Structures are given as structure tokens and as C-alpha cells.
Amino acid sequence: MIRHFLAKTLYWSDAAVKKLSFLALGTGVAFLLLMIVFVLRESSLGLGFAMNLFDFLVRQPWAPMATPPSHGIFHAWISTLVVTGLSLGLAIPLGFGIGLFLSEVAPRWVQQVMQPALEVLAGIPAVVYGFFGYVTLVRNFETWFDMPAGECLLIAGLILAVMVLPFVASTAAEAFRGVAQDLREMAYGLGVTQLYVMRRVLFRKALPGLFAAVALGLARALGETLAVLMLAGNTVAVPHSLLDRGQPLTALLTTELGETVVHSDKYQALFASGFILLIVVLGINVMIWTLKHRFLERSHA
Amino acid sequence: MHNAAVLSPTANMTGSETYRLSVLRDRLWRAALWFCGFIGFLLPVSIISYLVFEGIHRVSWSFLVDYPKGTPLGTQGGIWPAVEGSLALASIGLLVAFPLALGGGLYLSEYGRSQRFNETVRFLVECLAAVPSIIYGLFGYAFLVVFLKFGISLIAGGLVLALIMFPILLIAIQESLRSIDDAYREMGLSLGVTRFYLIRRVLLRKAWRGIVAGIVLAVGHAVGSAAPVLFTASIYFSKGGLGLDRPVMTLPTHLYNLVSEAISFDQAFGTALVLIAGLLIFNASATLLRRLGGGSAQ
């Protein structure tokens, strides 16, 4: 009797834990959906908006104080594009190089030193990067390039490159390490050089993983806020060169949100830009996911 | 051979010259890779040592435990309210997010039977982890601060940070559970214990290192990010003292304000160093705990 009771209690407590853990999972995941829905709701995007998308993205300037006020985000996404492109242009070659170095060339003790070093680089908060860029680059740019104020897209891109570098490098290293060892041995057995193996074997085999590394860096760079806010200059003019000031999307959001009347046109425009950013990043994530799965399937085959 | 038309740079070379050239190119390539590695090492070392070098003489015990002073406020004194606020925000975030993530991770790795369901949820969670923190800030502002009328407060910021921590924790917990050999599960279950007993007495004991690593990652991320708390929890200056419905100062937003309002670069160097050192010490102590801690290594 007692044993029966005990068994029953155990069974029920196990079932309860299962239910509780499911509930925990559901609660957490529900918030992702809530977040998407809520940002969309606050932006009041509808059919009318889709008609105005061109105005919003390209034609109108950002001039909330003008009469009538207009809320176009052309200057913001151009700045985002410039800064992101610049940072990836620097971080991808260097990151792939570090990845190759870690997986193919570096002796074991060097790998053991490099790994925590890259983790430290990834762990430095964005605001500290912004501050670091401000006290090192911004001040020197004022004298080097004879600028009245040193903040510009170039500096934001440079610092952003350092910020995404560890993510690109470690994902690339993982991709190179994932290439089967016997492929390397076969190639070396044919008497070719290491350069040849890297170029013709490793790069091709690791390609999906390398794409994932790029996509990860892209998602990071697009969403980075504090560093670009502090370094890009924060003006609403459309930038024409790398030494111009600009205002990436994330910087626009941070600058304006605090002083915006809730549910005003400007508020909706800000949430609409946030929603666009969210959708782009989620799209990139879907791409990473597909690449990873294709990569896994191929390496199992 | 020497009179032949030059079709390529290597066309008029003997075999051993071609060989030497490709060896040379290989050496150059290796040197270039070593150079990449060197830069990857130099960057963190130089950034950290620059911040330490510039900041160390601005940090003292009184800098840590004093309140901001001077005119304009913040040019003198210390940063205690910011330290306090950051710690409180991270603790609230962890207290809310950890149970949810533990439950979620256990369900995905131990209870969930449908492969399709697990994959879908894992995909959603990875999406959640990839969303930029400024979007969490927007959501927190619109939903918690405005819609639920929490106002700019400790609880709103803590919940936003919980949301940021949840996917990081869940992925870490699920991965460390998944890496445990299935033999342990089969042995346990064949002895007739319940899944919950197996989880408590076997699986969590083997997975705790991975879980600690996840906590470190999540907390480090949450303490360092300013974007999500800027509109949900933070205030320029406070006299200290915490209350769930009151705003707080945080280290990252304090650093941002000191720089963007050009209040004091001296104080900014000190604040940056405290933030960085805090994160590094936290990381290092967790690593130490994992090395020294009991239980078998995976």
C-alpha cells in the first residue's frame, strides 16, 4: 500500500516537473512572439504604410520639428549600411585569417592563449568600445584630418570591425576545424603545399560555415547600438563620405525614443524602423539556421 | 627552354625553381596567418592594458563606495549607485530568467518527445538570442514602461534583462545536458527511477559546469549592455537606495552619460575600468570554480 502510494507520488511529481518545465519553455518563447507583435503594433504598420514605404525609406528627410513634420529614415539606413559594410570588409578577411590560423597553423599553446583573448574581446561591453574609440580615435582624427569634431562613419566602422571580429573568427575557426581530417591528409599525401590545401580544400569544404560566420557578424553589426551612437556623430544629414557624420538606425532609435510622445507619428516611425531592423536580423538568422543544417547534413553524409 | 615564349611566370623555370617558389609562397602565407593571429591577440591585450593604464589611478575604494559629487554632478565623487544598480538589475534578470531557462532546457533535452517541436522551439530561441539588444529596449519601453505602466524602474529593466538572458541560458543548459552520454540516462531509467530523480541526481551534477558557463555569459552580456536599460531603468543620477518601482543608475549608462555630456573623462576612465575589471573577475572566478569544483568533468 505504502509502496503503491509512493510510486504514485513519484509518478505524479515527475509529471508535474514535466508540465512545469514545459510551462517555463512556453513562457520564454511566448515573449519572442509577443515582442514581434508588440513592436509591429506600436509602429501601426498597415496597408496604408506599405504604400508609403518608399517615402519612409527613401524620399522623406528626418525632420520631426518641421511643419509639416516628416519622418523618413533614408539617412539612417544609409549610415547603417556604410558602417556595417566597412566593419565587415575589415573583419571578414582578418577573421577568416585568424580562423585558419587557429585551426591549421597555431601550435596548441598558442591556441590556448588565443581562445581566452578572443573571448575577452567579445566580452568587452559596447559602451566601453564606444568610449575607447572616443578617447583614442576621435580626438586624433580631429588633428589628423583637421575636422572640427572627430566623430565620423569611418571611426564607427573601425571600432565595429573590432567588435564583430571575435565572432567571425571563432565561427570561422569552427568551420575550418569541421573539415574532415582525412581530406587534409589525402591532399598533403599528394605533395601539395599548405596554401594549396587551404585554398582548394578547406575553403570549399568550410564554405557554409564561413557564410554563417559572415551572417553572424552582419547581424551583430546591424544591431550594435552604443558604439555607433557614440562614434558616428549622430546627425540627420545624409552622409556623403566616410569622414562625414551619420546616424545609424540604432543610434536614431536611442537618440529619439526618450524624447518622443507616445503613439505620436514620430513614435510610430521609430517603431517602424525598429521593426524593419528586427525583420532583417531575423531573416539573417533564418539564413544562418539553413546553412548550419545543410552543413550538418553534408558532414554526416 | 630559355628561348621559349614566356607563357606564365613559371614557364621558363626549372622544376626545382617552381618548387622553391611554391615553398616560398607557402612560407609567406603562413607568415600572413601568424600575423592575423598576432593582431587577434594584440587587440584585446592593447585595449585592456590601455584602459587599465589610464584608469588605474582613478579607481580607489572611495571611488567605488562614494556617491557622485561636484558641479556638474559626476565630476567628482564615486559611482556606488551605478554599481548597486547594475548588480540589482542583473540579479533580478537572473532570478527571473534562470528558472525559466532551466525548465525550458530540461524540457527540450529530457522530456520533449517530438523532434519537430524541439527543433522549432530551438529555432525560435536562437532567433531570440540574435535579436539586437536595442530592440529589447524598444519592446521593454513600449510594453513594460508604457503599456503596463511600470514606468522607468528597476523592475522594468530587470525584466528586459531577463528576456535577454533567457535564450543565452537556455541554449547553454540544453547543450550541456545534450552532451551527457545517453548511457547514464539508460542506466538510471533501467534502475526504475523517475526522470526527475535522474535529472536531479545525475544529469544536473554532470552538466553544472556548462550551466555555470551559460550564467557567466548571460550575466556578462546583461551587465555590459546599456541599450536595453537606457529607456527602461536608468536615470542620470540617483542618491542610491533601491526600490523596484524606482529608476537606478547603471555602470554602462553612467559611462555613456559621462562621455556624451562631456562631464568628466577622468571619471569615465575609472567607470570603464570598474566595469571591465568586474566582468573579467566574474569570468575568471567562474572558470576557477569550474576547475576546482567537485563532480566529474564531462
Side-chain angles (χ1 to χ4, degrees), chain B residues 14-55:
Chain B
T14 60
S16 74
E17 272 175 326
T18 328
Y19 170 75
R20 241 178 269 154
L21 188 71
S22 57
V23 168
L24 183 71
R25 272 184 18 203
D26 203 42
R27 288 233 173 101
L28 280 176
W29 178 244
R30 285 172 69 97
L33 288 184
W34 271 95
F35 181 69
C36 285
F38 179 66
I39 291 185
F41 181 70
L42 194 67
L43 278 172
V45 170
S46 56
I47 291 175
I48 296 290
S49 39
Y50 176 81
L51 290 174
V52 170
F53 180 74
E54 291 281 342

Side-chain angles (χ1 to χ4, degrees), chain A residues 10 14 17-18 21-22 24-25 27-29 31-32 34-35 38 41-42 94 97-98 100-101 105 107 110 113-114 117-118 120-121 123-125 127-129 131-132 134-136 139 162 165 193-195 198-199 223 225-226 229-230 250 253-254 257-258 262 267 271 274 277-278 281-282 285-286 289 292-293, chain B residues 22-23 25-26 29-30 33-34 36-37 39-41 43-44 47-48 50-51 99-100 103-104 106-108 111 117 119 121-128 130-132 134-136 138-139 141-143 146-147 163 166 170 194-196 221 224 226-227 230-231 252 255-256 259 265 268-269 272 275-276 279-280:
Chain A
L10 280 176
D14 197 38
V17 170
K18 183 177 174 178
S21 67
F22 183 73
L25 183 69
T27 316
V29 172
F31 269 99
L32 170 70
L34 182 65
M35 180 159 66
F38 215 81
R41 192 193 95 131
E42 295 295 290
L94 189 57
I98 294 174
L100 264 181
F101 174 73
V105 179
V110 176
V113 176
M114 284 285 291
L118 287 177
V120 166
L121 204 58
I124 297 176
V127 63
V128 175
Y129 273 113
F131 174 62
F132 178 76
Y134 197 91
V135 289
T136 53
R139 286 173 170 182
V162 179
L165 179 69
T193 59
Q194 199 169 17
L195 171 61
M198 286 176 189
R199 241 181 27 207
T225 307
L226 258 291
L229 175 68
M230 292 165 86
T250 50
L253 291 174
T254 324
L257 188 65
V262 175
Y267 180 87
F271 274 82
L277 186 65
L278 178 64
V281 171
L282 288 182
N285 209 52
V286 171
W289 181 265
K292 214 161 69 178
H293 272 235
Chain B
S22 57
V23 168
R25 272 184 18 203
D26 203 42
W29 178 244
R30 285 172 69 97
L33 288 184
W34 271 95
C36 285
I39 291 185
F41 181 70
L43 278 172
I47 291 175
I48 296 290
Y50 176 81
L51 290 174
L100 291 180
L106 281 176
Y107 188 86
L108 284 185
Y111 287 113
F117 173 82
E119 290 253 306
V121 171
R122 177 64 193 263
F123 171 67
L124 285 175
V125 170
E126 280 188 26
C127 280
L128 203 56
V131 171
I134 176 75
I135 303 287
Y136 283 100
L138 278 184
F139 171 65
Y141 181 71
F143 184 65
V146 176
F147 185 73
L163 218 49
F166 171 75
L170 191 147
T194 61
R195 283 230 166 229
F196 183 46
H221 193 65
L230 212 50
F231 312 112
L255 175 57
Y256 169 65
V259 177
F265 282 91
F269 270 115
L275 182 54
I276 288 281
L279 288 175
L280 286 181

Side-chain angles (χ1 to χ4, degrees), chain A residues 88 91-96 99 164-173 213-214 216-218:
Chain A
L88 286 186
I92 288 172
L94 189 57
F96 282 9
V164 298
L165 179 69
F167 297 98
V168 176
S170 50
T171 317
V214 172
L216 184 69
L218 181 62

